[in-house]
Amino acid sequence: MTRPGPPPGGSFPARPGPPAGGSFPARPGPAGGSFPARPGPPAGARPGPPPEFGDDETRHPAVDAAVQSLANAATLAPADQIAQYEAAYETLRETLATIDQT
């Protein structure tokens, strides 16, 4: 089976260009010629950053280390990120299991 090639003579016919006048016809829009306004955000206060949790003594060091390793993984190659995510997951899973046992 052969593939089709260029036509005999080695050139292709010219493609049609833009319409005469240099511009395309306008697309039809909504009645009245304008679009309705987009809705804005809901009224009220927007959520801000989470509050601080106090001093570091109330936090769990293993959880803090796992969270920090996830933040550090953002600078790694994707293949290395997977290993970091799996290690953090395992640390968090083990930590939660020990908390549940107490």
Side-chain angles (χ1 to χ4, degrees):
M1 175 175 231
T2 61
R3 295 177 125 185
S11 66
F12 291 97
R15 288 182 11 175
S23 65
F24 293 95
R27 291 175 39 186
S34 65
F35 293 97
R38 295 177 70 185
R46 291 184 172 209
E52 292 297 322
F53 291 106
D55 53 309
D56 290 337
E57 294 176 18
T58 60
R59 297 175 130 179
H60 197 287
V63 173
D64 288 340
V67 170
Q68 185 60 45
S69 72
L70 292 175
N72 294 342
T75 62
L76 300 174
D80 297 330
Q81 288 178 359
I82 294 170
Q84 287 289 330
Y85 294 149
E86 289 173 347
Y89 169 78
E90 190 63 30
T91 299
L92 293 172
R93 190 183 66 74
E94 290 173 1
T95 303
L96 287 174
T98 60
I99 291 171
D100 287 342
Q101 293 173 359
T102 59

